[in-house]
Amino acid sequence: FQFEFLLFTMQAAAEAKKQRKLREFRQYLVDKGMVDSVVRLFVGILEMEHRPDATKIWTDYYGEIRDPLWNEIEYLQTNIDKLRAENSELEGRQQELVEQLYAKNL
């Protein structure tokens, strides 16, 4: 019985924390003006005669925002690709050397 009560209490505490975080996030969106901004965007869309692509609407309204971390991600991805190619070449060279060793020992 105590274990079930403890489990229930832990679950209730976790749910309360989740709800508190959600309230804080909603308040953050309101405080930063994001809610008003999105509402204005949606009202603008509703007033359009035709509805263009959602990505285009978002980019036109907010501009193209690119986090600088994407540059680092792309740089690292390029390095990963280069290193994989180099690794493949080195594995091939290793295999050649192993075959030469076996050939000398036979």
Side-chain angles (χ1 to χ4, degrees), residues 37-77:
S37 179
V38 171
V39 168
R40 283 193 300 266
L41 173 65
F42 288 149
V43 168
I45 291 170
L46 289 174
E47 292 174 350
M48 291 179 166
E49 291 181 19
H50 69 300
R51 300 212 170 54
D53 178 45
T55 306
K56 182 177 177 357
I57 292 172
W58 190 268
T59 305
D60 288 348
Y61 191 75
Y62 290 107
E64 190 164 334
I65 300 170
R66 181 176 167 95
D67 192 317
L69 288 176
W70 284 111
N71 295 335
E72 185 174 347
I73 290 170
E74 289 174 354
Y75 171 76
L76 293 172
Q77 186 62 49

Side-chain angles (χ1 to χ4, degrees), residues 10-24:
M10 290 174 57
Q11 289 173 343
E15 182 62 29
K17 181 178 178 182
K18 181 180 172 184
Q19 291 300 319
R20 181 179 50 81
K21 290 256 186 208
L22 186 57
R23 276 193 310 277
E24 289 172 359

Side-chain angles (χ1 to χ4, degrees), residues 97-106:
L97 293 172
V98 167
E99 290 171 3
Q100 288 176 8
L101 282 174
Y102 281 129
K104 285 182 179 181
N105 289 333
L106 292 178

Side-chain angles (χ1 to χ4, degrees), residues 1-14:
F1 176 72
Q2 282 184 330
F3 176 72
E4 291 174 359
F5 178 73
L6 180 61
L7 183 60
F8 175 74
T9 304
M10 290 174 57
Q11 289 173 343

